Amino acid sequence: MKDNQDVACENVHSAIQDTLYVVNGKWKLFILSILVNQGTKRFGELSRESGISPRILTKELHELEMNQLISRTVCNTKPVTVEYSSTPYAETLKEVINAMIRWGQSHRKTITGQ
């Protein structure tokens, strides 16, 4: 029989696994950081700013949209343009994303001695 500490540990483990499942990958958090901190971007802008190939960017954006973290808007322009925005749900990750940015900057300084 499991005690309360075992159950709490499993809940924490499951929560971390769920989070990583949604934002896992080389690019998802990077894409989210751009959209959460800079606002709506067109596909081409995202590709240029991130350096992600169009094929990979399409795949990552699709997965983020499936998890309701971004919204995709097809604009009635010629040629057709597509814009991506963070959703209010994605905004709940802003604190986490910005904490990761700060930690990464600090870590880089620690490792490089600068």
Side-chain angles (χ1 to χ4, degrees), residues 7-61:
V7 172
C9 187
E10 283 181 12
N11 289 341
V12 168
H13 186 246
S14 294
I16 290 171
Q17 280 186 316
D18 291 347
T19 303
L20 290 177
Y21 176 78
V22 173
V23 297
N24 192 25
K26 186 174 180 181
W27 301 111
K28 285 186 183 76
L29 280 171
F30 188 52
I31 294 165
L32 282 172
S33 72
I34 291 171
L35 294 176
V36 165
N37 288 313
Q38 297 178 21
T40 301
K41 297 284 183 181
R42 291 184 177 166
F43 183 87
E45 292 174 313
L46 272 174
S47 185
R48 278 190 302 281
E49 286 184 33
S50 65
I52 304 170
S53 73
R55 183 179 68 81
I56 298 296
L57 182 58
T58 298
K59 175 186 167 294
E60 298 289 272
L61 288 168

Side-chain angles (χ1 to χ4, degrees), residues 80-93:
V80 172
T81 56
V82 180
E83 294 181 337
Y84 294 90
S85 303
S86 60
T87 63
Y89 185 46
E91 296 292 324
T92 65
L93 285 169

Side-chain angles (χ1 to χ4, degrees), residues 42 73-83:
R42 291 184 177 166
T73 305
V74 178
C75 301
N76 190 16
T77 58
K78 291 190 182 185
V80 172
T81 56
V82 180
E83 294 181 337

Side-chain angles (χ1 to χ4, degrees), residues 58-75:
T58 298
K59 175 186 167 294
E60 298 289 272
L61 288 168
H62 178 70
E63 290 176 14
L64 289 167
E65 186 178 13
M66 281 180 21
N67 284 295
Q68 301 177 8
L69 294 171
I70 64 166
S71 62
R72 178 180 185 269
T73 305
V74 178
C75 301

